[in-house]
Amino acid sequence: MEFATEELTQQVAQTARDFALQYIRPHVMEWDEAQHFPPEIFKELGRLGMMGVLVPEEYGGSGLSYIEYVAIIQEIAKVCGAIGLSVAAHNSLCTGHILAFGNEEQKRKYLPALASAQVLGAWGLTEANTGSDAGNMGCTAVKDGGDWVLNGTKNWITHGISGGIAVVVARTGEPRTKNNATAFVVERGTKGFSGGKKENKLGMRASETAEMIFDNCRIPDANRLGNVGNGFQQALKVLDGGRISIAALSVGIAKGALEAALQYSKERHQFDQPISNFQGISFKLADMATEIAAAELLTFQAADRKNKHLPMTKESAMAKYYASEVAVRAATEAVQIFGGYGYTKDFPVEKFYRDSKLCTIGEGTSEIQKIVIAREVLKD
Ligand SMILES: Cc1cc2nc3c(=O)[nH]c(=O)nc-3n(C[C@H](O)[C@H](O)[C@H](O)COP(=O)(O)OP(=O)(O)OC[C@H]3O[C@@H](n4cnc5c(N)ncnc54)[C@H](O)[C@@H]3O)c2cc1C
């Protein structure tokens, strides 16, 4: 594939692969079972430049493109989807929002700490009653002199407890009106801002998912990102980029499942031969490999358009939708190829199976992606 064969992309991918194999793989199941979120891993990834992949060097980042970013997320997700999810959310949601919509002062203040992983980023859009319908949010920000006072709760937030810097989209206008939301940066330690319940999840268990609670949380107007009323439109643009990372996460998980299934199918003997000799198994592998290649092409297509500043709402939704469904199918088939062993925690495929499901839900469900794609194709 042309995109991924660039020397720089290969080098970056190799570094991510080596790190994941040496420092993540030995702990994958221990972290998963204990639902342990390992902050030290992100510090190390920060030292390698993988927590500020898209941040220009002048703000302390690596200044790489979306192509390298996709390669990094894939390599980490091949080993552990949960760490991949946290790296993706940190880079493209919180950091990505400040990079795209922060003013110069905000970028200088927040990006170096995020890019080095001195602090982790959180990004709060979803609430208990507003997920797909995020524009109908209940969390409010009310102007009081030179400050804003935030009240409400954001749910399902990656790094909702551990994130040192949070971007929060809150309602600043009347419910169900246009341009009624605004984005703010809230620093951990601000009075009235706390982490809440940590979710006990099916998969992605080493990635922290938790509530962020705002109780008369007062922040200065200097923490407002962009214009009053632009918050939801900003969030949609951030999600266009974020969906490329979920597509990359999905491709990584699917590749991890395929690698494991390929190896096992050659080693496992039944009826005096490797099970890969059976067409019923080899055709599964063929379907997995074909779908993964297609998902990867869609992902690189969206990344390439993002790099070139071309419209990519449709392409990122297509990549996210297709790749996430492929990840679920590939992980399901991998469990099937492993038979009974695939149903145990002694082999990696049951974790790919659990982790993959998040990809069809987070940053817009498959149904929401189809709404986005349909809207775009009907425009043409
Ligand atoms: C592990 C994890 C991490 C997350 N991290 C973050 C984060 O960092 N920040 C953040 O803001 N959010 C985060 N989320 C939230 C995530 O984006 C939402 O869960 C997702 O957008 C879906 O919202 P919901 O869960 O409320 O489902 P709902 O919106 O209630 O949807 C339920 C079902 O109804 C379907 N549905 C809804 N509307 C329609 C429609 N119009 N047409 C057809 N079907 C429809 C959905 O597709 C889904 O199948 C995270 C979620 C998880 C699980």
Side-chain angles (χ1 to χ4, degrees):
M1 186 174 304
E2 197 188 323
F3 297 121
T5 53
E6 295 288 332
E7 201 183 327
L8 176 64
T9 313
Q10 296 235 325
Q11 275 173 10
V12 168
Q14 186 66 48
T15 306
R17 182 157 52 242
D18 291 345
F19 180 85
L21 291 175
Q22 191 173 349
Y23 296 104
I24 301 176
R25 175 157 283 168
H27 307 286
V28 163
M29 284 317 289
E30 170 198 330
W31 293 342
D32 180 76
E33 300 238 312
Q35 210 166 212
H36 172 66
F37 177 63
E40 65 285 354
I41 281 295
F42 302 103
K43 292 259 187 288
E44 286 301 319
L45 284 165
R47 274 191 267 282
L48 290 175
M50 295 189 186
M51 298 300 273
V53 182
L54 305 161
V55 175
E57 289 177 43
E58 58 176 310
Y59 302 115
S62 300
L64 294 171
S65 81
Y66 258 79
I67 301 293
E68 284 81 46
Y69 178 51
V70 163
I72 290 170
I73 301 295
Q74 272 198 39
E75 290 302 332
I76 298 174
K78 269 158 80 174
V79 173
C80 180
I83 303 302
L85 173 63
S86 274
V87 173
H90 172 92
N91 272 287
S92 60
L93 298 182
C94 175
T95 310
H97 200 137
I98 296 172
L99 185 59
F101 298 105
N103 59 32
E104 192 54 30
E105 197 184 324
Q106 291 164 337
K107 288 184 194 175
R108 295 218 172 274
K109 184 168 179 192
Y110 298 116
L111 291 178
L114 286 163
S116 62
Q118 191 188 322
V119 293
L120 282 175
W123 189 77
L125 177 67
T126 308
E127 299 179 5
N129 295 323
T130 54
S132 303
D133 188 15
N136 191 24
M137 67 194 77
C139 185
T140 56
V142 176
K143 190 90 195 281
D144 184 26
D147 295 339
W148 290 87
V149 180
L150 271 64
N151 276 294
T153 300
K154 293 287 175 183
N155 296 67
W156 302 104
I157 308 306
T158 304
H159 316 147
I161 296 169
S162 300
I165 292 173
V167 170
V168 183
V169 185
R171 190 159 52 71
T172 46
E174 292 304 310
R176 291 275 179 218
T177 58
K178 270 198 153 186
N179 305 326
N180 70 353
T182 305
F184 301 92
V185 179
V186 186
E187 293 170 43
R188 190 68 56 177
T190 308
K191 195 163 171 256
F193 173 35
S194 56
K197 180 189 167 216
K198 178 175 167 177
E199 302 298 340
N200 183 5
K201 305 193 298 292
L202 168 75
M204 301 292 194
R205 288 170 58 82
S207 176
E208 178 188 276
T209 313
E211 290 175 331
M212 293 197 301
I213 300 167
F214 302 94
D215 180 12
N216 284 321
C217 173
R218 183 174 284 274
I219 52 168
D221 189 48
N223 287 24
R224 172 169 48 81
L225 291 166
N227 292 335
V228 174
N230 279 359
F232 190 60
Q233 287 85 340
Q234 289 177 11
L236 293 182
K237 290 217 168 71
V238 170
L239 284 171
D240 279 347
R243 284 170 184 160
I244 298 176
S245 23
I246 303 296
L249 186 68
S250 306
V251 173
I253 290 172
K255 283 185 177 178
L258 175 60
E259 267 175 26
L262 274 171
Q263 189 187 335
Y264 185 81
S265 71
K266 291 185 217 162
E267 289 166 1
R268 175 71 174 170
H269 282 64
Q270 291 292 282
F271 302 97
D272 301 322
Q273 53 190 306
I275 59 170
S276 59
N277 279 3
F278 305 130
Q279 199 177 61
I281 296 294
S282 65
F283 276 17
K284 285 186 196 303
L285 296 165
D287 282 340
M288 288 158 79
T290 306
E291 291 192 351
I292 291 168
E296 191 171 28
L297 278 169
L298 281 175
T299 307
F300 277 122
Q301 171 183 256
D304 187 48
R305 290 184 71 85
K306 176 84 182 156
N307 281 344
K308 292 176 177 152
H309 306 287
L310 293 169
M312 37 67 80
T313 300
K314 178 178 75 182
E315 287 77 7
S316 69
M318 283 177 165
K320 198 270 183 190
Y321 165 51
Y322 186 73
S324 63
E325 296 288 340
V326 165
V328 172
R329 277 200 294 277
T332 307
E333 291 293 47
V335 171
Q336 192 68 19
I337 290 168
F338 271 74
Y341 295 98
Y343 204 63
T344 71
K345 289 183 185 284
D346 296 337
F347 292 91
V349 288
E350 66 82 35
K351 182 171 181 294
F352 288 126
Y353 179 75
R354 290 184 286 110
D355 288 349
S356 65
K357 195 59 200 151
L358 176 273
C359 300
T360 68
I361 296 171
E363 299 198 29
T365 62
S366 289
E367 291 76 14
I368 294 302
Q369 303 313 313
K370 284 199 256 190
I371 291 174
V372 173
I373 297 163
R375 197 184 293 139
E376 293 292 320
V377 295
L378 286 166
K379 259 192 214 167
D380 295 341

